[in-house]
Amino acid sequence: MKDLYVVAAIGLATPLNAAVFRAGIQAQLARHPYFSSIQVTDKHGGTPRWTRTAVNVDDHIVVVSNLAGAEEDDDPDKAVEDYLSSLSTLPMDHTRPPWEFHFLDVKTSEAASTVALRVHHALADGMSLITLLVSASRSAADPALPATAPPPPARRKGAIYAPPSSASFVWSVWSYLVVAWHTVVDVVTFVATIFFLRDPDTLFKRDDHGEPHRQRMRFVHRSLSLDDVKFVKNAMNCTVNDVLVGVTSAALSRYLFRKTGDTKTRETVLRSILPVNTRPTTSLQMDVDKIKSGKSNAVRWGNRLGYIILPFHLALHNDPLGYVRKAKQIIDRKKSSLETIVLHMAVEIIFKIFGPKAGAYIFKNVLANTTITFSSLIGPPEPIQLCGHPVAYIAPSVYGLQQALTVHYQSYSNSIKVILAVDEAQFLNSRQLLDDFAESLNLTKEAAAKTPTKSIKDE
C-alpha cells in the first residue's frame, strides 16, 4: 500500500550515545540494498522499481533534543508516546530511501532511552526487519558473540500444510479433501469480503473508512510475561498463538461489553486480517548468515506475505479458558486450509497482470470490510545489543491502514509485548484497552492454574 509505514520503538537499557548509534547504523544497516534504494517509475508510468542510490546517514537521523513533557516531574512515558504518535501524521521524503531513526534520549519507566525506526512497509515486512535486527546485533551477555536468531517453528518444515507421515492412505486422501474444501470456502469468503461481505458496526470499526494516512494513530504497548503465556499453553495443550488469540478475544470482549453495557448479546464476530510469512521456516537464520558473510544482495527483502481472514468471537464467558478453547478451534480449522498460499499466488498474479492499483483496490476493500489487523512475531530469544546499546524492549507497529485498531505481539527474551495502534479520535482512552489485555492474561493464567491437568480435548 502506498502510505503504509512501520514504526518500531526500541527501548534501550542505557542512555543514548548518538555518535555510537549513528556509527552502527552506518556500518550495519545503511549498506543493505533496500535501505540504500529508492522507488522510481519510468516516464511511461509503469510499475515502480527499486534502484540503488547514495545514502547520507545524517539525512535519516532525527535527534530530538527537547521533548515537551519529558521531565521526570511530568510524564516522560506519555511524552515519548505522543512523539511516536506524531510520526503517523508526518510525510516522509521519498527522494531518498524511505527510512529514518529518531533518537529520544529520555528516561521512561521501561527504558533509559528510546530509538524509533520509521520505515515504509514496501522496504520490508516484519520478518525482514527482524532478520535485519538480528544480523546487526550482538549478544548482550557477550558482545563478542552474534545475537541468537529466533528458532524456527518446531512442527512446520516444508509446506504450510501436510498430513502426518504415518497417516494411512484413506486418512491422507480424506485430509486432502478436507483441505481442498476449507481452501475453497476461505478463498470464496476472501473474495466476498473484497466486494460486499462486511463486519458489523461496533466501537472497534472505523465509521468513515476515510483516507487512513489522515488519521492520527496512537501507539501504546505493555510488556507481558512470556512465561505466563507458555504456562497457559502447556496447561491447555495448545500453542502460544492459540493463547494470544484467546487473550485478544477476551480483552476485546471485556472492552466491548463494558463500554456498551450490553448484557443480552451472546456473541459478536469480528474479523481480522492476519499477515502470514510465506518464506521457508529456515529462511531467517539463512538470511542472517548471508548478511554476516557479506552476501546481503542474495537476501530477498521486501514483503513475502500471505493473508488469512481470522475471526474473533467476542462473548462473555464465565470461564476465561473459553476464549482459548475457541481460539484453538478457529486456528486448527485455519491450519487445514491453503488459504495463505492461494491468496499469495493470486495477489502476485493480479499485480503482474493489472498492476499495483488493482492490488491496492483489493486490500483497501478487505481492510474496509474487516475490523482489525492482527499479527504476532517471534523475536530474539535472548537479550541483544544494537549499535552498542543493550535493548530493553522491541515494540513495532504500523500505520496507514484503514482500520481503527491494529493488534501486534512481539516476543523478545522472556517477555512479549502487546502493541496497539489505535485511531486517537475513536479510542479516547487507549490505555484502558491495553489494561484489558494484561488483565485477560492474568485471569486466563489463574484459571489455567486451577485446571493444570486438563487439556482442550478433555473439555
Side-chain angles (χ1 to χ4, degrees):
M1 295 181 66
K2 180 180 178 182
D3 297 300
L4 183 60
Y5 294 86
V6 175
V7 174
I10 304 173
L12 305 178
T14 59
L16 181 65
N17 186 322
V20 171
F21 208 101
R22 180 201 177 282
I25 294 173
Q26 177 76 61
Q28 300 292 335
L29 300 173
R31 62 188 175 87
H32 291 300
Y34 268 37
F35 276 65
S36 58
S37 300
I38 59 174
Q39 273 195 333
V40 297
T41 305
D42 60 35
K43 60 182 180 180
H44 301 294
T47 301
R49 57 183 176 83
W50 292 99
T51 183
R52 297 292 290 269
T53 186
V55 175
N56 181 357
V57 171
D58 292 326
D59 290 339
H60 299 265
I61 294 177
V62 179
V63 179
V64 183
S65 56
N66 186 18
L67 187 61
E71 295 77 12
E72 290 187 8
D73 293 339
D74 293 322
D75 188 347
D77 287 64
K78 185 176 183 299
V80 171
E81 182 184 301
D82 287 342
Y83 183 84
L84 294 177
S85 297
S86 71
L87 297 179
S88 67
T89 64
L90 299 177
M92 183 176 281
D93 186 354
H94 285 260
T95 62
R96 54 195 183 208
W99 60 270
E100 57 194 23
F101 281 89
H102 296 252
F103 292 172
L104 295 90
D105 195 11
V106 175
K107 184 178 180 180
T108 61
S109 60
E110 289 190 272
S113 56
T114 303
V115 168
L117 168 64
R118 182 167 68 143
V119 56
H120 197 284
H121 209 296
L123 281 185
D125 56 25
M127 187 56 68
S128 294
L129 291 175
I130 288 295
T131 300
L132 192 61
L133 176 70
V134 171
S135 68
S137 301
R138 311 299 295 176
S139 168
D142 185 357
L145 299 176
T148 303
R155 294 182 180 179
R156 199 187 113 209
K157 298 182 182 302
I160 289 178
Y161 174 81
S165 58
S166 60
S168 67
F169 174 76
V170 174
W171 176 251
S172 295
V173 171
W174 173 250
S175 67
Y176 279 117
L177 289 175
V178 170
V179 169
W181 171 248
H182 287 167
T183 302
V184 170
V185 171
D186 290 342
V187 171
V188 169
T189 300
F190 191 92
V191 173
T193 303
I194 296 174
F195 296 106
F196 62 86
L197 188 59
R198 189 174 184 271
D199 277 7
D201 291 329
T202 64
L203 53 81
F204 297 115
K205 191 170 181 61
R206 178 170 283 158
D207 295 328
D208 57 7
H209 306 302
E211 292 297 328
H213 61 278
R214 295 181 182 175
Q215 310 295 335
R216 178 181 166 105
M217 301 297 289
R218 178 160 290 272
F219 308 103
V220 294
H221 55 81
R222 180 74 54 84
S223 291
L224 307 176
S225 170
L226 187 56
D227 287 339
D228 286 353
V229 173
K230 290 180 177 179
F231 177 84
V232 176
K233 171 187 80 76
N234 294 332
M236 297 293 290
N237 189 28
C238 60
T239 68
V240 166
N241 279 336
D242 293 337
V243 178
L244 297 181
V245 172
V247 167
T248 302
S249 294
L252 297 181
S253 297
R254 287 172 59 86
Y255 187 86
L256 175 67
F257 291 108
R258 182 180 65 249
K259 285 289 187 180
T260 61
D262 185 359
T263 59
K264 297 181 180 180
T265 302
R266 297 189 60 184
E267 184 177 78
T268 298
V269 180
L270 308 179
R271 295 178 303 156
S272 70
I273 293 297
L274 172 65
V276 179
N277 176 38
T278 60
R279 301 171 179 84
T281 56
T282 57
S283 65
L284 194 153
Q285 184 62 62
M286 292 172 59
D287 289 345
V288 168
D289 293 341
K290 289 176 183 176
I291 294 171
K292 290 179 178 178
S293 63
K295 299 178 181 178
S296 58
N297 286 333
V299 177
R300 295 183 67 192
W301 297 102
N303 292 267
R304 301 288 181 268
L305 297 175
Y307 298 91
I308 288 176
I309 293 182
L310 181 70
F312 282 86
H313 291 252
L314 309 191
L316 291 175
H317 291 303
N318 293 326
D319 180 5
L321 299 181
Y323 297 103
V324 180
R325 296 188 189 99
K326 188 64 176 181
K328 176 174 171 55
Q329 178 185 353
I330 293 169
I331 292 175
D332 284 348
R333 156 66 179 80
K334 285 293 183 177
K335 287 178 180 177
S336 63
S337 170
L338 299 180
E339 177 184 9
T340 301
I341 296 175
V342 172
L343 291 177
H344 177 70
M345 294 173 58
V347 169
E348 282 196 335
I349 292 172
I350 290 172
F351 264 75
K352 289 179 181 178
I353 296 177
F354 300 104
K357 290 185 178 180
Y361 172 83
I362 290 174
F363 286 107
K364 178 181 178 180
N365 284 11
V366 169
L367 291 169
N369 289 332
T370 54
T371 302
I372 66 176
T373 295
F374 177 89
S375 67
S376 65
L377 195 61
I378 187 171
E382 299 175 355
I384 62 172
Q385 186 184 89
L386 177 65
C387 298
H389 295 70
V391 173
Y393 69 81
I394 307 168
S397 191
V398 298
Y399 71 89
L401 298 170
Q402 287 176 254
Q403 296 163 329
L405 173 63
T406 296
V407 179
H408 182 79
Y409 288 95
Q410 175 68 63
S411 70
Y412 170 58
S413 188
N414 61 349
S415 69
I416 187 165
K417 275 283 186 187
V418 54
I419 308 104
L420 307 181
V422 302
D423 184 336
E424 278 192 337
Q426 193 158 330
F427 292 87
L428 300 180
N429 190 349
S430 54
R431 290 198 168 274
Q432 189 178 57
L433 176 57
L434 199 60
D435 291 341
D436 287 326
F437 279 80
E439 181 64 15
S440 294
L441 176 58
N442 289 335
L443 292 173
T444 303
K445 180 192 174 184
E446 291 174 2
K450 295 176 183 178
T451 55
T453 60
K454 288 186 178 182
S455 70
I456 292 179
K457 294 180 180 179
D458 297 327
E459 296 297 327

